[in-house]
Amino acid sequence: MSGAAVRIGVLFGGPSAEHEVSCASALGVARALAERGHQVVALGIDRDGTLRLVPEPVLAGHLASVAAGRAIDDRLPVTGPPVELRRGSRAGTVAVTAADAPASRYVELDVAFPVLHGPYGEDGVVQGLLESLGVPYVGCGILSSAVGMDKVAMKRALRAEGVPTTPHVWFDAATWRAAEDPEKLVVGLRWPLFVKPARMGSSIGISRVAEGDDLVAAVEEALRHDQVVLVEQGVTGRELECGVLGGWRPEASAVGEVRVTGGWFDYRQKYFGDADPMIVPAQLPAEITERIRELSVRAFTAIGGWGLARVDFLYDETAGEVFVNELNTLPGFTAHSMYPKVWAASGVDYPEVVDRLVALAFARHAARPGVRPAGGAA
């Protein structure tokens, strides 16, 4: 950005199963924004959906604390008085008001930075709220957030643009309940299979099913989190990840690799492990690295992305094939997350990443139809 400090509302928590991860990511973002000189306002959302203004002394204490060993242990608390968001007194701002006395304004925000993983925060819901309030906000818009969150819609968008994805099928709860032979729903896929809720992140609700394992139990677990289930053919290969940052001309980062145990990178390894499973940059042939970076930008463009995304890949070294596994339009932002690491390896440190994201939020807002550029003609 130009160096001017702005007042930024960091939205975190939420009712999804990724509540704790969001609180951890939010602290990382808040620290980086504060390091760049911005005024941070922390807005936590309870699991029941209540928005709370985190008191300044509480926020300041956490910003000054030493990072904990495990990512999940280092997080902002959702605490403080209930508040509401309303249109600000100036165009392009949003007011934080007392929930029981809307005329009482605590502060006005110049931009919102949603750090809400999973449903209600990453799927277009909060983006729609922020659009209705007319405030700039960081990250993908309503449509690209919704498509990125829905693994079935995402794969359709990628295939339409010729981006390679893993073989898969999907079905809804009603189809599953009516099936006389559940395995007929996955005919044509080679085992092992990965069974996933269509709209969930952080590996929640995902099961790896080898031949002889209980497919029914895996699908029922996925249905606990969504009414639509995606079943993917397992690919024996390396798990690689690449960050995308930008707007009309997005850029791809260095490529990182996740070394996993137990066959795949599950929720416990991501957030509760003591060892760091990430290798940045990944040791790959130059042509594979460039292929992944090129596909990352194509995938981001295919869903209409803006701001940021992390693109996850499976690389079958034997066949020389690369598949996009999924996009995450709001990747983890903890001190141990891959997205900040791959950009750091590209020469862009964490504070600069969040600063660029704020600048991109203002750029998109200014480019909306009917908006008069500052100092420009109609």
Side-chain angles (χ1 to χ4, degrees), residues 16 18 116-123 149 199-201:
S16 87
E18 298 180 75
L116 291 155
H117 301 304
Y120 305 103
E122 198 175 347
D123 56 1
M149 187 70 192
R199 290 160 291 200
M200 184 57 66

Side-chain angles (χ1 to χ4, degrees), residues 40-104:
V40 177
V41 177
L43 295 164
I45 303 174
D46 277 344
R47 293 182 187 275
D48 66 3
T50 301
L51 182 67
R52 297 185 180 276
L53 176 62
V54 178
E56 287 188 15
V58 174
L59 173 61
H62 280 78
L63 292 179
S65 64
V66 177
R70 299 187 310 179
I72 203 70
D73 295 329
D74 192 33
R75 60 182 187 261
L76 282 176
V78 177
T79 186
V83 294
E84 294 179 349
L85 297 180
R86 295 171 177 266
R87 282 185 176 268
S89 60
R90 294 178 292 110
T93 64
V94 63
V96 181
T97 68
D100 56 354
S104 174

Side-chain angles (χ1 to χ4, degrees), residues 4-316:
V6 295
R7 187 174 291 154
I8 301 171
V10 176
L11 292 162
F12 68 98
S16 87
E18 298 180 75
H19 178 97
E20 289 185 330
V21 181
S22 171
C23 294
S25 288
L27 181 53
V29 168
R31 282 180 176 144
L33 290 169
E35 184 176 330
R36 297 292 280 195
H38 299 300
Q39 182 178 344
V40 177
V41 177
L43 295 164
I45 303 174
D46 277 344
R47 293 182 187 275
D48 66 3
T50 301
L51 182 67
R52 297 185 180 276
L53 176 62
V54 178
E56 287 188 15
V58 174
L59 173 61
H62 280 78
L63 292 179
S65 64
V66 177
R70 299 187 310 179
I72 203 70
D73 295 329
D74 192 33
R75 60 182 187 261
L76 282 176
V78 177
T79 186
V83 294
E84 294 179 349
L85 297 180
R86 295 171 177 266
R87 282 185 176 268
S89 60
R90 294 178 292 110
T93 64
V94 63
V96 181
T97 68
D100 56 354
S104 174
R105 299 193 174 210
Y106 288 106
V107 69
E108 288 198 358
L109 308 175
D110 300 305
V111 61
F113 199 132
V115 192
L116 291 155
H117 301 304
Y120 305 103
E122 198 175 347
D123 56 1
V125 172
V126 77
Q127 288 77 14
L129 170 64
L130 297 171
E131 289 276 1
S132 71
L133 292 170
V135 65
Y137 62 92
V138 167
C140 287
I142 299 170
L143 179 60
S144 53
S145 295
V147 172
M149 187 70 192
D150 188 318
K151 295 179 177 65
V152 175
M154 175 193 67
K155 287 183 181 289
R156 287 175 177 157
L158 296 183
R159 287 193 165 190
E161 297 298 325
V163 176
T165 66
T166 52
H168 63 278
V169 298
W170 67 273
F171 45 81
D172 58 25
T175 301
W176 170 254
R177 304 278 183 243
E180 295 182 4
D181 181 358
E183 291 198 9
K184 285 186 177 180
L185 294 177
V186 298
V187 167
L189 298 182
R190 293 196 306 271
W191 297 54
L193 306 173
F194 283 89
V195 180
K196 306 178 178 181
R199 290 160 291 200
M200 184 57 66
S202 291
S203 300
I204 293 172
I206 298 178
S207 303
R208 182 181 185 275
V209 184
E211 289 191 73
D213 288 347
D214 192 343
L215 176 64
V216 172
V219 173
E220 291 296 336
E221 171 61 19
L223 287 172
R224 288 181 57 237
H225 302 280
D226 197 358
Q227 290 297 296
V228 177
V229 174
L230 176 74
V231 182
E232 295 176 321
Q233 178 175 297
V235 174
T236 302
R238 297 165 64 179
E239 294 194 26
L240 306 171
E241 299 182 354
C242 184
V244 181
L245 176 64
W248 302 119
R249 294 180 177 82
E251 302 175 64
S253 70
V255 179
E257 179 170 8
V258 180
R259 293 286 175 88
V260 301
T261 59
W264 62 290
F265 197 31
D266 62 10
Y267 182 82
R268 179 152 293 277
Q269 289 185 68
K270 283 182 178 179
Y271 300 109
F272 289 88
D274 294 318
D276 186 351
M278 300 176 187
I279 300 170
V280 183
Q283 299 304 303
L284 296 165
E287 63 272 17
I288 296 298
T289 296
E290 287 310 305
R291 172 71 170 155
I292 288 170
R293 296 180 73 244
E294 179 258 334
L295 284 174
S296 295
V297 172
R298 283 178 55 192
F300 186 72
T301 303
I303 69 163
W306 184 275
L308 77 161
R310 192 194 69 230
V311 188
D312 299 346
F313 292 84
L314 296 170
Y315 170 41
D316 184 341

